[in-house]
Structure formats: C-alpha cells, structure tokens
Amino acid sequence: MRSLLISTVALAAALPACAFAEDASPPTALDELIVTATRLPSRLDLVTGAHVIDQAELEARQTVFVTDALATVPGVGITRNGAFGGVAAIRIRGAGPDKTLVLIDGVPAGDPADPNGTFDPSAVQAADLERVEVLSGPQGSLWGSEAIGGVVAFTTRELSGWALEAEGGSFGTARGFAGAGVSTEAYALNGSVAAFHTDGISKAASGTEKDGFDTVTANLGGRLRVSDAVRLDGRLRYTNSDIAIDGYAPPTYLLGDTSDRNKSRAWSGFGRATVDGAWGLTHELSFSDYDLTRDNLSAFPSRYTAQRQVWRWTAAHGGPGDAAAFVVGAERNDTHADLAGRTSADLSTTSAFGVLRTQVLERLTLTGSARYDDPDAFKARGTGRLSAALALGGGFTATASAGQGFKTPTISQVVCDFCFAPPVPLRPEVADGYDLRLGWRSPDGRLSGAVTGYRLNVRDQISYVASRYVNIARTRSTGVEAEADAQLSDAWRVRVAYSWTDAIDVTTGKSLLRVPDRSGAASLFWTNDPWAATLTVRGESSQSDTDVDGFSPIVRKGFVTADLAGSYRLNARVTLTARVENLTDQRYQETYGYAEPGRAIYLGVKLRD
C-alpha cells in the first residue's frame, strides 16, 4: 500500500485541480442506464440480474450507509449483527456472503484475513459515492474467484466546487461531509471527508448498554490528460472505524452485553494509465491495492492484517451504443494475510479474460465472456458466460444467460486455522447459474418493469466440520425477482421490487440460514421545487437463523419498516433536510438476537458552491 500511497500523492501534487459532479437532481425514470461492472459497459436491458443505484437516488433517499440502499435491490439480502456498525454481510440470490465479490473503484475489497474472505460493508458511507452496481449470478468469467452469487461495485464521485453537509439526531448521532474539487478538460483534483458518530443502542437485543460507532472515510482523486492519446488517473480511499460490539461472555456464553470493541483501518486505491492506440483499441494499465487491519479488543485481543494487490492490463474497442464491442485483458492478483500472529500465507492468481458483445441481428444481441484463472496453489480453471437479448417488439426484451463461478479456498481454510483435526486437501468451490428475464419499457421511457427467474447451484462448498475444513456442502437457490419503475408525472415516481427465494442445503434439505423466502421494497419519490420527499417501505418474511447460544436453530420473525426523507431548498446553495427512520417504531430484528433501533429523527443542512 505504501508504494501506491506515495505514487498517488505524487500524482495529486502534480495536478492543480479536479472534477466533482454537481448535486444530482431528483431521480427520474427517463435516463438510459449503463452498467460498467460488466467489464464491457453495456445498456442495462442487455444484462440479466443488473441493477444500478445512482447518486440521484442515494441523495433522494438521504442514504447514509450503502447497506440500506442495497437492501432494496431484488435478490440482495443484508444481515448485520446489530445496528450502527454491527458486522454486516451481503447475500445475493441466496448464496453465502463469502460468495459476493465487492469492488471499490474496481479494487477487490474482500477481507483475506476473514475465515470466509467476506467483505464487511457496515462502514461504507454513501456520501462520496457516484453509483452502486449489482450484478447477480455467477460472474467468474468477469472477475474470477468469489463472484459466485454476484458482484457489488461502488464507484466514488467527483464534485465541482465545494460541498458541506451536517446532520444530527436520535441516539446522539452526528454526521458530516466536506468535499471540494476543481476541473478542466486537461486535469482534475478532488478530495472529501465523511464522518459519522453515534452513541448507539445495544447490539444485543437482550442488552442494556449503548454500543457506539465512529467511522471516518477520506477520498483523494485526480486525473491528467498528458496528450490526446494518453490519460492518467488515480484515487485513494481511507476508512477508519471504531465499533462497540456484543458477544458471548461467560458464564452463560449467550449473546449479551460485553465491553468488546473492534477497530479497523482500510486503505484502497488505484493508479491507471489509459492509452488510445492503433486499430481503435484503448489500452489500460492499472495497479490497485487494498490494505486492511482489524483489531479485536477483548479479553483475548487479536490483530488481523490483509493485503491484496492487482496488476491489470486491458485492451478495449467499442462502446455501449456500438453494434460490436470487446475487451480483453490479463491480471495478476497477489493476496496475503496474517491471522493474529498464528500463521500467515500468500494466495496469488494469474488470469486472462475476454468479453465480446455483438448485434448479430437487428433485434438480437449476444454477449460472451471467458476467463482462465491459474492460482499458484490450485489447479487452473476456466469459466464462461453467455447471454442473449432479444427485442420482441412493443417495448419487450427477453434476456437469458448462463454463467459459471468458482471460489478458491481462503487463507484460513488453506492453513486450517483453528483446526483440531488433521487437515484434508481442499478443492475450489464451483457454481453454475441460469436466469431468464422479460423486461418492458414504454416508448417514452417513463414506465418499465421486469420479471427474472433464476437457478444457482454451488458444489464442493467448504464447511467447518468435525474440527476441520472439508468440501462437503451442495446448495441450490431458485427464485423470482420482479421490479417496476414508473415516472407517474414530473413530480411523482415510484419504484417497486420483490423477491421470492428458495435456498436450501441439498445435502441436508434444510433452508439456508438468514435467507428470507420473500422480501420486497417500494419507494415513492416526490418533487415540487423547492420541496422533495421520499418514502421507502421494506419488508422481509421469516427466515431460518441461529439462537442466542450461537448454535441452536431458530426462526427469526418477518418485519416491515418504513423510512421517510424530506428536504427544502432555501436557495441555490442551502438545502434543509429531515428524515425519519423506522417511521412506525417497529420492534424487529434483521438477525436473530441483535437489536434494531426504534423510531429515529434526524435534521440536517447541505451547502453547495
């Protein structure tokens, strides 16, 4: 990370200025959305299982943490061990959270020091994000290991001028944001800081003490046009969090109040050179780095560190509107983790990949991708994906895809950390997935909807059984996702999403933990300048879970909650904001045994240049 830090700061120092996009206008259904996490940017209607949450929607919802926005995406489930910083997990289409690959500005951000390699999104603030993209289903041919359930990609934003935000409210909560930037066509420089503090509530539902949460995120980015053919850009992102947690304290060893804390520090960033070359090819050479340190402060303190560095080259031709486009590339992924001083290990992979999209007929578009991954410690593996989009007429489009995914064992699994039986050789987990989507869009783009059916199979899933890791489990998820978006008038817009998921462990026939059968969300957006408001209602059915002893099975009850956000623009520079979370003051749990807050009220102000 140090080498990237030095090089990026040097680049930033050489740039006198940067670009930040101005405050987004309220979301409308008219815009043509482009998905970029597909390696080859494509129109949203050509990609099954793709969803985009843009800055306008994040602003309209007054989203503080991205987990709240992700929970409204069909097929995406969020679980967390208590409000305000509790360990969170992203599940896509019933797959375990370790099978969701998370990217921050294209940088893989999983935690190699975690036993399952899972990324914890609990501290990802939305204040500095331009967009959030979700790709559901196996994406191994695009991103390699971990992308079995899907991919979540966060893209940070730029401002033009300066922006300040301040907010405070229930539970001793205070939030702030400050950002500034300038830009020209030739160069750009921007920076921002987002901070959040709360006294919180007890993480454990049975607890009485408050568990606080503090997190700060800082961003620095820049770009430079060296010539008409050569461009440089880079970004650094830093997050520091301090979280009070609850656990299983003696003598009962049941979930309850503890004085334990978790502190984490994460750096991520990239530097990239883009060159327009012969035959219309655009080459990119980039280096990215992710560096994480976690300190667990308890009666048994520990420190975990993890690093992931990726060298990547791509050559691309064509854009989203072209009849034919492709990208090819190669990358080297070096991963290292130190497991609290007990052991450390390296796992690295060399890969090559390609994506081709072509309009073979006036109404038919085919997209194919293939990837070859050669891990240093495991047998090489190839994955592929094929999708077809057929315009049926009358605004209808049918899209189908079939893809593969895999996940190499994590460092903890390879070294058999905390094993009390002789380790056995492990194989990478493998998956295949299929989906079929029927979408419709009105001629003026004001109305749209889609229904998607899917099947996801995972084999050789790694589990901790009889005091060691073994390939044993086989899981299957079958589901339906439905969504609709309607721009009812210039003032009113509504978005609705619904998911039905049947996720089971095929080896036992039991439902997978923490996957509700049914979930849904509906958002109503209203704007009447200078006023604006958004009402979001979200619900989940009951789900299989684990009791407060950490072992016994139990069923967590379903719930429905509502959030209301509103704003009033005093003038071109000043906007007053207010929001109410858990509007009806429901008592519910997202994860059994962990508390969620009752009704909370927050007031704020936004200042813009």
Side-chain angles (χ1 to χ4, degrees):
M1 185 67 218
R2 185 175 300 171
S3 61
L4 177 61
L5 176 63
I6 295 173
S7 60
T8 306
V9 169
L11 172 63
L15 306 179
C18 172
F20 261 3
E22 287 187 8
D23 222 12
S25 57
T28 69
L30 297 172
D31 299 330
E32 180 92 79
L33 289 177
I34 303 298
V35 186
T36 60
T38 50
R39 293 281 196 186
L40 188 65
S42 302
R43 295 200 326 261
L44 186 65
D45 61 334
L46 300 181
V47 184
T48 58
H51 298 86
V52 177
I53 305 172
D54 59 15
Q55 182 192 345
E57 185 169 338
L58 294 172
E59 292 263 358
R61 295 179 189 271
Q62 296 183 29
T63 304
V64 178
F65 292 98
V66 293
T67 49
D68 296 328
L70 287 170
T72 67
V73 176
V76 177
I78 301 295
T79 58
R80 60 181 180 182
N81 293 349
F84 303 123
V87 176
I90 305 171
R91 298 172 184 266
I92 301 179
R93 292 185 172 176
D98 59 313
K99 295 167 181 59
T100 297
L101 176 64
V102 175
L103 306 170
I104 301 176
D105 290 320
V107 180
D111 179 1
D114 181 89
N116 293 313
T118 306
F119 175 76
D120 177 7
S122 59
V124 180
Q125 301 183 71
D128 64 347
L129 295 183
E130 173 69 27
R131 58 197 279 129
V132 179
E133 297 183 9
V134 177
L135 291 180
S136 299
Q139 307 292 334
S141 62
L142 295 178
W143 296 103
S145 180
E146 299 177 41
I148 284 181
V151 175
V152 176
F154 302 126
T155 302
T156 54
R157 67 186 176 106
E158 296 182 345
L159 285 168
S160 178
W162 54 265
L164 298 173
E165 298 179 16
E167 182 184 71
S170 302
F171 312 115
T173 301
R175 181 177 67 86
F177 172 81
V182 292
S183 68
T184 69
E185 292 185 1
Y187 51 81
L189 179 66
N190 67 87
S192 67
V193 177
F196 179 91
H197 164 83
T198 185
D199 294 338
I201 63 172
S202 173
K203 294 286 193 301
S206 62
T208 58
E209 67 174 8
K210 294 180 179 180
D211 293 317
F213 175 40
D214 292 275
T215 185
V216 176
T217 298
N219 259 299
L220 175 66
R223 55 180 173 82
L224 173 67
R225 179 178 288 275
V226 179
S227 67
D228 290 341
V230 180
R231 300 173 296 280
L232 304 176
D233 68 308
R235 181 167 291 275
L236 280 174
R237 180 182 175 91
Y238 172 76
T239 299
N240 191 301
S241 299
D242 185 348
I243 310 163
I245 59 177
D246 285 334
Y248 301 85
T252 63
Y253 294 99
L254 299 177
L255 178 62
D257 285 337
T258 68
S259 60
D260 297 355
R261 305 188 70 81
N262 179 277
K263 293 186 177 182
S264 66
R265 184 267 301 158
W267 285 95
S268 68
F270 73 92
R272 176 172 55 196
T274 303
V275 180
D276 296 329
W279 303 294
L281 294 179
T282 299
H283 298 265
E284 289 186 357
L285 179 62
S286 65
F287 171 72
S288 64
D289 200 342
Y290 182 76
D291 186 297
L292 174 67
T293 300
R294 289 187 287 115
D295 288 301
N296 298 323
L297 307 180
S298 65
F300 303 96
S302 58
R303 166 171 285 194
Y304 295 82
T305 63
Q307 300 84 35
R308 175 179 286 171
Q309 298 179 339
V310 179
W311 286 96
R312 181 182 300 147
W313 163 81
T314 63
H317 177 77
D322 294 327
F326 69 86
V327 60
V328 296
E331 64 184 29
R332 173 68 178 178
N333 187 323
D334 293 319
T335 303
H336 175 82
D338 183 284
L339 308 179
R342 292 186 301 276
T343 187
S344 62
D346 294 275
L347 288 181
S348 302
T349 303
T350 302
S351 310
F353 56 88
V355 185
L356 170 66
R357 185 185 66 246
T358 180
Q359 187 174 340
V360 296
L361 299 172
E362 183 180 356
R363 294 176 176 269
L364 178 63
T365 301
L366 299 179
T367 303
S369 56
R371 183 181 178 102
Y372 182 79
D373 290 282
D374 187 12
D376 291 356
F378 298 94
K379 185 179 178 180
R381 178 174 296 276
T383 50
R385 184 177 180 87
L386 179 65
S387 65
L390 177 64
L392 302 174
F396 287 93
T397 302
T399 311
S401 71
Q404 299 171 311
F406 78 102
K407 181 176 185 292
T408 57
T410 65
I411 290 176
S412 290
Q413 294 164 350
V414 168
V415 302
C416 214
D417 195 27
F418 283 113
C419 288
F420 302 99
V424 297
L426 296 174
R427 301 181 301 276
E429 301 172 337
V430 294
D432 57 78
Y434 316 88
D435 53 19
L436 175 64
R437 176 183 185 270
L438 179 63
W440 176 79
R441 183 179 176 94
S442 65
D444 62 1
R446 299 177 72 89
L447 304 174
S448 64
V451 177
T452 304
Y454 69 86
R455 168 68 63 87
L456 174 64
N457 302 300
V458 181
R459 300 179 301 280
D460 290 332
Q461 187 157 302
I462 298 173
S463 300
Y464 188 78
V465 178
S467 300
R468 62 185 174 189
Y469 293 101
V470 295
N471 291 96
I472 188 172
R474 186 162 64 93
T475 64
R476 181 180 67 230
S477 299
T478 305
V480 176
E481 301 164 356
E483 53 195 306
D485 192 333
Q487 188 74 46
L488 304 175
S489 68
D490 291 342
W492 294 93
R493 179 193 179 193
V494 62
R495 294 191 67 179
V496 180
Y498 171 82
S499 299
W500 171 78
T501 307
D502 180 28
I504 64 171
D505 184 334
V506 179
T507 58
T508 63
K510 296 181 179 179
S511 297
L512 296 182
L513 292 179
R514 298 178 179 175
V515 181
D517 293 336
R518 300 176 306 280
S519 61
S523 296
L524 180 64
F525 302 91
W526 172 75
T527 57
N528 186 14
D529 196 36
W531 297 93
T534 301
L535 174 66
T536 299
V537 180
R538 183 175 70 87
E540 293 183 0
S541 66
S542 59
Q543 66 182 24
S544 300
D545 213 322
T546 304
D547 207 343
V548 294
D549 60 6
F551 300 99
S552 304
I554 200 167
V555 174
R556 186 223 63 185
K557 295 180 179 179
F559 64 86
V560 176
T561 64
D563 299 330
L564 178 64
S567 64
Y568 177 76
R569 187 172 59 83
L570 287 175
N571 53 49
R573 291 192 172 186
V574 183
T575 300
L576 303 180
T577 64
R579 58 190 175 91
V580 183
E581 295 185 349
N582 196 354
L583 186 64
T584 58
D585 199 26
Q586 294 292 308
R587 293 293 182 263
Y588 72 101
Q589 297 175 14
E590 288 194 356
T591 301
Y592 189 83
Y594 290 93
E596 295 294 334
R599 183 186 297 113
I601 301 174
Y602 304 95
L603 301 175
V605 61
K606 295 182 178 181
L607 305 177
R608 294 289 189 270
D609 184 13

